[in-house]
Amino acid sequence: MYKITKSEQLSKNEYDFWIEAPRIAKKAKPGQFVMLRINEMGERIPLTIADTDDSSGKIRLVFQVIGKTTAELGKLTIGDTILDLTGPLGMPTEIKNYGTVMIVGGGVGIAAVFPIIKGLKKAGNRVITILGAKTAELVILQEECRQYSDELIITTDDGTKGMKGLVTDAMEQVIANETINSSWAIGPSMMMKFCTMTAAKYELPLYVSLNPIMIDGTGMCGGCRVTIDGSIKFACVDGPEFKGTEVNWDEFISRMKQYKTEEETCLVDYQKVQVINRG
Amino acid sequence: MVRRSRTKTPIAEQDPAIRKSNFDEVCLGYTLEEGAAEAVRCLQCKEAPCIASCPVMIDIPGFILAIKKGNMQEAADILGKYTNLPAICGRVCPQEKQCEQVCKLGLAKNFEPVAIGKLERLVADWALENQDFSKCIQNNEAKIGRIAVIGSGPSGLTVAGDLAKMNYEVIIYEALHDSGGVLTYGIPEFRLPKRIVKKEIESIEALGVTIETNVVVGKTITMDEVMNEFDACYISVGAGAPNFMGIPGTALNGVYSSSEYLTRINLMHSYEFPKFDTPIKRSKNVVVIGGGNVAMDAARSAKRLGADHVSIVYRRSLEELPARIEEYHHSVEEDIDYHWLSNPVEYMNNGVGDLNGVKCVKMELGEPDESGRRRPVPIKNSEFIIEADTVIEAIGQGSNKVLLSTFPELKLTKWGYIEADPKTGTTSIPGVFAGGDIVTGAATVILAMGAGKIAAVEIDNYVREKNKTPVTTKV
Ligand SMILES: Cc1cc2nc3c(=O)[nH]c(=O)nc-3n(C[C@H](O)[C@H](O)[C@H](O)COP(=O)(O)OP(=O)(O)OC[C@H]3O[C@@H](n4cnc5c(N)ncnc54)[C@H](O)[C@@H]3O)c2cc1C
Ligand SMILES: Cc1cc2nc3c(=O)[nH]c(=O)nc-3n(C[C@H](O)[C@H](O)[C@H](O)COP(=O)(O)OP(=O)(O)OC[C@H]3O[C@@H](n4cnc5c(N)ncnc54)[C@H](O)[C@@H]3O)c2cc1C
Ligand code: SF4
Ligand code: FES
């Protein structure tokens, strides 16, 4: 059992947890994730390790409510426990001194770029960060990201914060003014696809973190398979980070829709029960 | 003297018409009376060939005699000397190719062999009901040493049980949230109820073995840590990584590996969705590719999930089918169809990324290949399409790389399995032993257990030797 020691609601649908998991806290590196299962009936879901505190043996998870499991997770609070937590899984980001790097986070993907920003800054890079969201309220972890960034640009679709527009607009701006040695983008699939196209125009290497549906997270089911440079890779063990230009995006985006109907049933059922429980 | 029946004592099974829509066990097992009647058939051979053909050399005539005498406790004690997982072996061992194949009674004209597997199951089930494992005696003597076992499948469980009996402190690390390996996430409930697997695992824990789940060795803890903190370790991480044929359309929604399909069903209980949260496709037309036990399990599971039509596409013919023949018969009774001498060449797209058909080609058998089986070759212009909304590839698994990729010092074979001496389980690194599917490639429960038994003896020798000749103490 893994205890939640801190919980905060970041926005209407986003939560920020610290959980006791000493073994994972000790090993986790930027780019890695955990698989968690809330209870006996639960699904195993992957979440990025957003931060760690090795001295107190805790890890941080930031998540967005999407379906049943994340909705249920959002209901938990300090003192509650999670039945299973496994990790750290996946290949870590290659942290080294590249020179100047550009890191783009979109929506809840900001939580996934945060440890990368932190890692790259500590490795001596000049870090330019772009955070994008639909609206001001959804720009999460802004202060934390700023702490490790030499420059921070915020974009919102509706212009309620930072520049009005898309992260790719900000990317164009940065690329026009600076020589960037490497870059990362994590967020919704469409965003990562367009960031890849933008970076490719300038032959700038860009890494993305794929978030396919996973079951075991240890390379044993093949459910998370993605086509990278024409061959089958398992995102949970070969990734989740890949070079954007090598990803078969159309296929990836299509595979994310696999369980739409089933998951809706699950969430609707869950919501009904919630309504009954509340009387 | 009793007249020996020529045929095995019949065993009750769930009616196919009913069982094809539930996940309850198919075979219901012998009653004590039926068991006694079957036990009478054994000839009690001197130098019994059945023993020699069993990978863990169970005293088969011995336990059968005890059943005949009506002494179930004695039968259980005899079995317990050789195997820690008898209720599992009695259900899933390929007896027809091992003990029962060489049974002297079965070799006599017009006689069927003794139903050794079903008798083993009877004794084991009796023991699970009637023995209190919590009373297992654990002695208070100082432990001889600490052993880490990586992976909680049949191989790991066996080595752990045997070492615990020899008075070692044993910790099993398991990556998943539940122990048992393939027994838990692969073989479906209707062949091997999870209740049975759980009980037998509990019986091993009762010997003093600790199982820590959610620990991925190589990630959560490293091999360096394992080697520093334990006197020896046994790697039994299995061969669970799925292979794909890699034909066009593999990425379509509706294309599963058997590993994913069965993991969703068994480990995650998706057949009870939405009571359990993990979903699985409820399909109309399912096509399974392959011909082994795994293919049978996937096809029969699909039927139980309510598919109208399930067929198996196999590139050779019935004669070469690698699956257990009992399971093949069960599958036919459950309306699974077969496309013999056929191979898929493409998965068809309905236009929006979902599977709607499997394009296959007819095959014919050519010259024998290295494996001695006649090689299937495609027949030109023989393509045909099977309508399908789900296809499951059950074409074999490869080694599990999660640990191996972090441990490059360990010598592997050219197929990516661990190179270990089959007689001892020793690997290229002193103190690191290995066995089961990760050494042999996908094999059987009993072979994985056999490897565990051998390694337990060797690990004991190794630790005693090491303790006798202390190396220079680390500073
Ligand atoms: C390596 C990795 C790291 C991740 N890190 C984070 C993170 O730090 N924070 C966070 O909020 N989310 C993260 N995700 C996504 C998260 O796992 C999913 O949002 C979650 O599994 C949804 O579960 P659910 O039961 O709530 O919804 P479900 O009921 O399972 O799904 C609802 C809908 O979401 C879609 N969906 C299912 N699985 C995923 C998925 N893996 N990614 C995106 N959409 C999905 C489905 O198509 C479905 O329509 C990560 C995913 C991966 C693979
Ligand atoms: C669907 C199916 C049906 C089968 N039917 C039969 C049958 O009827 N009869 C028969 O005899 N055989 C059958 N087999 C084969 C048999 O199950 C295997 O040969 C046997 O389970 C191998 O045992 P093992 O202990 O080597 O590995 P496994 O059972 O594969 O167990 C390995 C365990 O190690 C864990 N692990 C992996 N990596 C790590 C790590 N880094 N750290 C910690 N833990 C790790 C895995 O999660 C797993 O639990 C079947 C196999 C399948 C897949
Ligand atoms: S070979 Fe057959 S008849 Fe002989 S002892 Fe074994 S089970 Fe009995
Ligand atoms: S999640 Fe099963 S192989 Fe990646």
Side-chain angles (χ1 to χ4, degrees):
Chain A
M1 300 285 252
Y2 300 83
K3 198 154 119 203
I4 300 167
T5 59
K6 222 166 142 189
S7 88
E8 191 187 333
Q9 187 162 1
L10 297 178
S11 71
K12 184 161 166 277
N13 277 323
E14 290 165 312
Y15 295 84
D16 182 357
F17 279 12
W18 281 90
I19 303 176
E20 250 169 36
R23 269 184 178 153
I24 303 175
K26 196 167 148 198
K27 292 284 155 52
K29 296 210 177 69
Q32 291 190 298
F33 64 95
V34 291
M35 294 295 298
L36 72 78
R37 193 175 71 136
I38 301 177
N39 54 40
E40 284 294 337
M41 315 277 184
E43 189 172 11
R44 292 169 66 96
I45 66 155
L47 291 175
T48 306
I49 303 168
D51 207 348
T52 55
D53 181 356
D54 183 16
S55 63
S56 67
K58 292 185 190 109
I59 63 166
R60 181 183 195 179
L61 303 178
V62 175
F63 61 92
Q64 183 183 16
V65 172
I66 294 277
K68 158 133 193 224
T69 308
T70 43
E72 215 175 353
L73 197 59
K75 293 269 178 306
L76 301 181
T77 183
I78 299 175
D80 289 342
T81 54
I82 285 165
L83 184 58
D84 300 296
L85 199 57
T86 315
L89 299 169
M91 300 300 283
T93 305
E94 201 179 331
I95 299 287
K96 61 177 189 195
N97 193 340
Y98 294 86
T100 304
V101 292
M102 174 172 69
I103 301 164
V104 188
V108 75
I110 296 174
V113 294
F114 173 60
I116 300 176
I117 293 172
K118 195 171 160 183
L120 287 170
K121 180 71 208 164
K122 285 187 174 165
N125 291 280
R126 178 172 147 70
V127 178
I128 302 174
T129 300
I130 300 169
L131 304 181
K134 283 205 185 77
T135 184
E137 188 218 20
L138 299 176
V139 185
I140 57 171
L141 310 188
Q142 201 193 125
E143 287 320 309
E144 278 113 316
C145 289
R146 189 187 307 279
Q147 196 189 334
Y148 297 100
S149 305
D150 294 276
E151 217 178 290
L152 182 88
I153 305 170
I154 290 172
T155 69
T156 47
D157 296 4
D158 60 2
T160 44
K161 183 177 247 170
M163 66 184 258
K164 181 173 157 98
L166 302 170
V167 286
T168 42
D169 301 332
M171 281 174 74
E172 297 269 4
Q173 254 184 34
V174 171
I175 295 169
N177 297 324
E178 300 246 7
T179 311
I180 307 289
N181 302 101
S182 193
S183 64
W184 282 260
I186 308 180
S189 323
M190 275 304 168
M191 178 205 110
M192 293 194 285
K193 180 180 168 180
F194 281 100
C195 290
T196 298
M197 285 157 59
T198 304
K201 263 199 310 202
Y202 303 96
E203 286 175 19
L204 167 64
L206 179 115
Y207 296 87
V208 296
S209 179
L210 298 184
N211 56 341
I213 295 168
M214 295 185 175
I215 299 102
D216 59 302
T218 61
M220 267 156 48
C221 73
C224 65
R225 65 185 184 277
V226 288
T227 304
I228 303 296
D229 204 14
S231 58
I232 297 177
K233 297 277 178 207
F234 294 174
C236 68
V237 286
D238 302 317
E241 227 170 73
F242 296 101
K243 214 166 182 173
T245 47
E246 295 184 348
V247 176
N248 182 331
W249 289 102
D250 294 343
E251 181 189 298
F252 175 72
I253 291 166
S254 170
R255 274 183 70 75
M256 293 296 283
K257 296 195 295 256
Q258 276 178 87
Y259 289 100
K260 257 213 142 62
T261 34
E262 288 83 354
E263 274 146 358
E264 275 159 18
T265 318
C266 200
L267 184 63
V268 168
D269 270 22
Y270 173 68
Q271 285 164 340
K272 277 189 207 142
V273 176
Q274 291 294 305
V275 171
I276 296 166
N277 285 349
R278 281 194 226 113
Chain B
M1 224 211 74
V2 251
R3 274 277 298 275
R4 278 193 178 83
S5 155
R6 287 175 183 277
T7 52
K8 290 179 176 176
T9 308
I11 195 155
E13 283 179 353
Q14 244 201 100
D15 181 348
I18 298 170
R19 73 175 190 240
K20 69 184 181 194
S21 57
N22 69 45
F23 273 84
D24 299 339
E25 197 169 11
V26 169
C27 173
L28 303 173
Y30 280 147
T31 60
L32 287 177
E33 293 70 37
E34 288 163 346
E38 182 63 15
V40 170
R41 296 179 68 230
C42 172
L43 303 169
Q44 292 296 319
C45 308
K46 299 266 168 318
E47 286 168 39
C50 53
I51 302 183
S53 72
C54 169
V56 300
M57 305 269 281
I58 293 178
D59 176 8
I60 293 166
F63 91 80
I64 295 182
L65 184 63
I67 302 176
K68 190 171 136 189
K69 291 190 299 193
N71 191 341
M72 294 303 280
Q73 184 62 57
E74 186 190 342
D77 291 343
I78 295 173
L79 266 185
K81 264 193 245 165
Y82 303 91
T83 161
N84 293 321
L85 309 169
I88 291 166
C89 295
R91 283 173 169 80
V92 302
C93 263
Q95 293 106 9
E96 67 283 358
K97 288 186 192 145
Q98 295 173 168
C99 51
E100 295 182 19
Q101 188 175 46
V102 299
C103 170
K104 282 202 180 151
L105 185 67
L107 296 177
K109 202 165 179 245
N110 295 329
F111 273 86
E112 282 181 0
V114 176
I116 302 171
K118 300 287 187 271
L119 288 175
E120 178 181 22
R121 168 184 163 155
L122 170 70
V123 176
D125 284 1
W126 178 90
L128 288 180
E129 287 306 318
N130 295 288
Q131 253 173 332
D132 184 1
F133 291 107
S134 61
K135 294 232 181 68
C136 272
I137 315 138
Q138 284 174 44
N139 64 32
N140 294 324
E141 284 169 45
K143 298 281 183 203
I144 302 169
R146 285 185 92 212
I147 315 293
V149 174
I150 307 164
S152 66
S155 202
L157 290 169
T158 300
V159 81
D162 279 14
L163 286 166
K165 285 183 194 163
M166 294 176 201
N167 199 28
Y168 282 89
E169 182 187 347
V170 187
I171 298 177
I172 303 184
Y173 293 119
E174 169 55 51
L176 295 173
H177 60 253
D178 217 347
S179 46
V182 174
L183 307 175
T184 296
Y185 73 75
I187 305 180
E189 186 78 15
F190 57 82
R191 276 213 294 136
L192 181 64
K194 301 303 154 242
R195 163 179 57 82
I196 299 288
V197 177
K198 282 215 158 63
K199 277 197 168 180
E200 289 205 326
I201 292 176
E202 275 163 30
S203 78
I204 287 171
E205 288 177 297
L207 297 167
V209 172
T210 306
I211 304 180
E212 289 192 25
T213 52
N214 296 322
V215 179
V216 185
V217 177
K219 297 277 183 187
T220 316
I221 55 177
T222 62
M223 275 309 289
D224 277 346
E225 287 170 305
V226 168
M227 289 192 292
N228 281 332
E229 290 163 24
F230 292 88
D231 294 299
C233 74
Y234 182 71
I235 304 180
S236 50
V237 291
N243 295 332
F244 287 94
M245 307 206 35
I247 59 178
T250 303
L252 292 176
N253 293 330
V255 180
Y256 282 98
S257 73
S258 55
S259 311
E260 178 183 353
Y261 199 72
L262 292 169
T263 302
R264 282 182 182 272
I265 292 175
N266 296 308
L267 183 72
M268 304 313 299
H269 288 257
S270 61
Y271 64 97
E272 297 183 69
F273 179 86
K275 184 178 158 206
F276 283 75
D277 298 341
T278 307
I280 189 140
K281 281 266 175 271
R282 298 274 173 165
S283 336
K284 284 201 166 65
N285 298 301
V286 179
V287 173
V288 179
I289 318 293
N293 285 323
V294 185
M296 303 287 133
D297 285 347
R300 297 170 69 198
S301 298
K303 190 84 210 177
R304 283 161 170 77
L305 285 169
D308 299 335
H309 194 228
V310 181
S311 57
I312 289 185
V313 170
Y314 180 53
R315 60 197 187 125
R316 294 185 162 96
S317 57
L318 175 58
E319 230 171 282
E320 292 87 18
L321 194 76
R324 293 189 62 195
I325 202 71
E326 177 182 348
E327 304 308 342
Y328 165 71
H329 288 307
H330 282 154
S331 75
V332 172
E333 287 172 1
E334 292 164 11
D335 297 334
I336 310 291
D337 288 333
Y338 284 80
H339 293 277
W340 303 111
L341 288 163
S342 304
N343 213 23
V345 288
E346 187 184 342
Y347 301 127
M348 324 277 288
N349 192 337
N350 71 348
V352 294
D354 302 325
L355 174 85
N356 71 354
V358 179
K359 189 193 273 179
C360 299
V361 62
K362 283 270 173 210
M363 311 289 280
E364 59 191 348
L365 294 178
E367 295 299 304
D369 58 17
E370 319 83 77
S371 76
R373 294 182 302 178
R374 293 174 62 195
R375 187 197 297 276
V377 274
I379 302 174
K380 275 215 178 73
N381 302 322
S382 65
E383 281 85 358
F384 62 103
I385 289 174
I386 312 173
E387 198 188 325
D389 46 3
T390 291
V391 64
I392 305 160
E393 287 197 359
I395 57 160
Q397 290 104 251
S399 69
N400 186 322
K401 300 263 172 2
V402 181
L403 181 151
L404 301 184
S405 63
T406 67
F407 193 31
E409 306 90 296
L410 188 67
K411 207 162 154 201
L412 305 183
T413 66
K414 65 175 171 187
W415 298 281
Y417 296 109
I418 298 178
E419 199 172 289
D421 182 343
K423 289 196 209 68
T424 60
T426 48
T427 68
S428 60
I429 296 174
V432 177
F433 297 76
D437 282 6
I438 189 59
V439 170
T440 56
T444 60
V445 170
I446 194 72
L447 287 172
M449 289 176 60
K453 290 204 96 67
I454 290 170
V457 174
E458 252 358 271
I459 291 173
D460 180 42
N461 288 340
Y462 170 83
V463 175
R464 284 176 193 276
E465 199 56 39
K466 196 174 94 173
N467 289 351
K468 219 164 47 194
T469 48
V471 268
T472 2
T473 32
K474 282 193 206 122
V475 266

